Amino acid sequence: MSYPPLSLHMPRTMRGESVPPPNPHLRFAGAGEMRRPPVDSDPYDMHDLAYNLVRVLDDDGEAKGEWVPDLTAEQLRHGLRSMLKTRAYDRRMMRMQRQGQTSFYMQCTGEEAIACAFQMVMQKGDMNFPTYRQQGLLIAQGFPLTDMICQVLSNEKDHLKGRQLPVMYSAPEAGFFSISGNLGTQFVQAVGWAMASAMRGDTKIAAGWIGDGSTAESDFHAALVFASVYRPPVVLNIVNNQWAISSPQSVAGGENISFASRAHGFAIPSLRVDGNDYLAVYAAASWAAERARRNLGPTLIEWVTYRVAPHSTSDDPSKYRPKEEELNWPLGDPVERLKQHLIRKGEWSEERNVQLLAGIDAEINDAAREALKYGTLHEGPKASPATMFEDVYKDMPQHLREQRQQMGY
Amino acid sequence: MMSKPVLPRRTMIEAIREAMDVMMERDDKVVVFGQDVGFFGGVFRCTEGLQRKYGEARCFDTPISETGIVGVAVGMGAYGLRPVAEIQFADYVYPAYDQIVSEAARLRFRSAGDYTAPMVIRMPCGGGIFGAQTHSQSPEALFTHVAGLQTIIPSNPYDAKGLLISAIENDDPVIFLEPKRLYNGPFNGHYDQPVVPWSKHALSETPEGYYSVPIGKAAIRRKGSAVTVLAYGTMVHVAEAAVTETGIDAEVIDLRSLVPLDIETITASVAKTGRCVIVHEATRLSGFGTQLAAEVQERCFYQLEAPILRVTGWDTPYPHAHEWDYFPGPERVGRALMQVMEA
């Protein structure tokens, strides 16, 4: 018997199509439809939650169902403020990059709810292992914007002394681990940090962060297997923004399966959550953090969202995806959705929103003006080149002392 | 007259185990893990008894994932622990290379000291055991090339214990290479002679308890005036044999620490002898010997009486059947010594 010639499957690229593609295995439930299992659930009893979508806010801005979190109006307004501030900060940094004050920037437009709401469930001493697109973790906790801008500008007051590419922040006082350019590495480090907390009988938890594209990295799998084996207190977050630079999530293995379901092979409970729904993010993050704090082990969460902005300032999405695709994104804009919810509750108004935006702009202008006093990448003071030999090791070895001398210091 | 106190004699394996035992006892932040390291005590017995003594939270088995082992070690180090991770064979370290090079080595620098990686990665290395391609490699040059790493390779039980203790106390990541051919006894490359146990060797005497050997200090194993031999690991013993057999009055330096390198001891010796032979098991192209040759050339050019020679593994993968054609034994080292003396 003869067989027809073999052919290689190339994932549906979604180019020219609206996202997400229709997939009978992956559903977007309506708000409030998904159940909220107990935090001590057996992972085998919650497989359904990895193929659907936990949503709280409906299209009219009403909070529905078992996942409605217990948040005060003030907490919700804080969330709105954090997201708006993150978005405004991104816009301002983009402008600084376009004006040549720095070399590079990466926005998180459309993804603000995930980091901003998640940070609200972290406690002092806990540790995030972020990627380069979780600036909201810092902004939501009121981290000084000037310090962040100084890092982006690599200026005299850059805490990292001009060593790191812009946006690769490090802030131990904010529970924010040093960002690396190497994708996926921090995911397994978060597991190790959480293992250490458990080994020491501590009460702190860790959170790992990764994008949809980077789930293909081997460290993603290493993180899951170590989390599965030792069950440390870690929340493993996958931010599925549909795009890894120009590659759609189908190329990362998401064509016919959710990223949340990856956890099932490791007996780790997982959730698939509307990442543009501030309330759903807070609720799911609380659920997973509570599991971790009660020593019930890790949770994997896929946050379904959309990368509205270009990948970075060096990227042009019009070359690979339909223009205005983000407008057709079914989960909308996280900022608008929370705003609508607050207005519906009678806790917000368009007027207050305008005032808030003006206040945020002023705050960012002040921070930018302050940061610019300490120079930019190309102008003004920066750390002495002699500092580039420091911190390679705790004590500077002879060969580095010699090289520093050769440079004239 | 007081007699010299008799120190316990240990094999490399026992010395390495003792170092971890001492440091686990002294510092409860020291944790030991890797494949088969816990209950079983390691495929080379280097961690035997540690789990029983310190419990599973201090010494445990891991999944077979080098990037996982090193990645969690980086996370633990950031938390404040002092992980001692084992890679079963140096030949299997490559899946962890990203975590070692991009993360452990760079963490202090990129975070301006916010976070550090005070960890040790132990790995058995080297050939001479019919280990073939994936149980014989000497990948030290892949680590010495990386800013932020320290690379250590002991040649005897005394140094192994003292250097491993220093490595565990060190606040930066240390690659700790253990020549597995030396685990049970010194080996000078004479594969056709009976194996000599460590108990017959002076450097198997190791004090009980805590002591350290400083990182970055070479040891002169044999004083001489005719030629300087730079070696480390198994090749120290090979070089000593070659010196004895040729009768050349060579000075044999055991580097012990490749980064940081003890440049003073090296240059003082070459300035005295005017000649230099470098010996390592690793392949030649861009091997650590290349770096040593360059350092000696730059710093001792006017004292040199002859070209610097390197005796190394060939630039091929490590073969099985041709073990002793590949391994740079005493005869090849001896030829280089004679050649450098003729110049």
Side-chain angles (χ1 to χ4, degrees), chain A residues 170 178 180 202 219 230 394, chain B residues 61 67 79 103 110 114 171:
Chain A
S170 167
S178 159
S180 168
D202 204 342
D219 282 357
Y230 304 108
K394 184 181 182 195
Chain B
D61 296 316
T67 190
Y79 175 91
E103 302 294 318
R110 78 168 195 237
D114 285 347
D171 289 324

Side-chain angles (χ1 to χ4, degrees), chain B residues 212-272:
Chain B
S212 62
V213 171
I215 295 171
K217 287 271 172 268
I220 299 174
R221 295 291 172 214
R222 182 190 187 281
K223 282 219 170 285
S225 58
V227 51
T228 299
V229 181
L230 303 179
Y232 48 89
T234 308
M235 288 300 128
V236 172
H237 304 276
V238 173
E240 285 176 326
V243 169
T244 306
E245 287 153 27
T246 56
I248 292 169
D249 183 25
E251 182 146 293
V252 178
I253 298 179
D254 178 356
L255 296 175
R256 303 198 289 197
S257 163
L258 307 187
V259 178
L261 186 65
D262 184 353
I263 204 74
E264 274 79 27
T265 299
I266 295 169
T267 53
S269 178
V270 178
K272 179 177 73 177

Side-chain angles (χ1 to χ4, degrees), chain A residues 159 163-164 170 172 176 178 180 182 185 188-189 192-193 199-200 202 219 230 388 391 393-394 398 402, chain B residues 28 57 61-62 67 71 75-76 79 98-99 102-103 108-110 114-115 148-149 171-172 263-264 299:
Chain A
H159 165 59
R163 291 174 189 159
Q164 270 277 45
S170 167
F176 191 96
S178 159
S180 168
N182 294 68
T185 51
V188 64
Q189 292 163 4
W193 196 97
M199 286 154 77
R200 298 287 287 173
D202 204 342
D219 282 357
Y230 304 108
M388 118 178 121
D391 296 326
Y393 301 92
K394 184 181 182 195
Q398 184 181 345
E402 287 178 0
Chain B
D28 65 4
D61 296 316
T62 62
T67 190
M76 288 176 191
Y79 175 91
D98 192 27
Q99 284 288 347
S102 314
E103 302 294 318
R108 180 188 292 277
F109 182 80
R110 78 168 195 237
D114 285 347
Y115 300 97
L149 296 180
D171 289 324
D172 290 308
I263 204 74
E264 274 79 27
R299 295 166 194 267

Side-chain angles (χ1 to χ4, degrees), chain B residues 140-159:
Chain B
E140 63 271 16
L142 297 177
F143 302 111
T144 58
H145 191 58
V146 178
L149 296 180
Q150 302 188 20
T151 302
I152 292 175
I153 175 164
S155 69
N156 58 73
Y158 179 88
D159 282 355

Side-chain angles (χ1 to χ4, degrees), chain A residues 12-32:
Chain A
R12 183 168 29 184
T13 65
M14 301 194 299
R15 282 164 208 174
E17 302 167 31
S18 63
V19 290
N23 182 329
H25 304 292
L26 297 182
R27 287 181 287 273
F28 278 19

Side-chain angles (χ1 to χ4, degrees), chain A residues 25 27 34-35 37 43-53 264 270 272:
Chain A
H25 304 292
R27 287 181 287 273
M34 297 306 296
R35 67 197 178 93
Y44 288 95
D45 296 336
M46 42 184 296
H47 281 193
D48 55 316
L49 287 152
Y51 296 95
N52 214 306
L53 203 64
H264 295 166
S270 70
R272 188 164 178 263

Side-chain angles (χ1 to χ4, degrees), chain B residues 122-135:
Chain B
R122 291 179 42 240
M123 52 186 113
C125 70
I129 57 147
F130 283 97
Q133 281 188 52
T134 56
H135 297 79

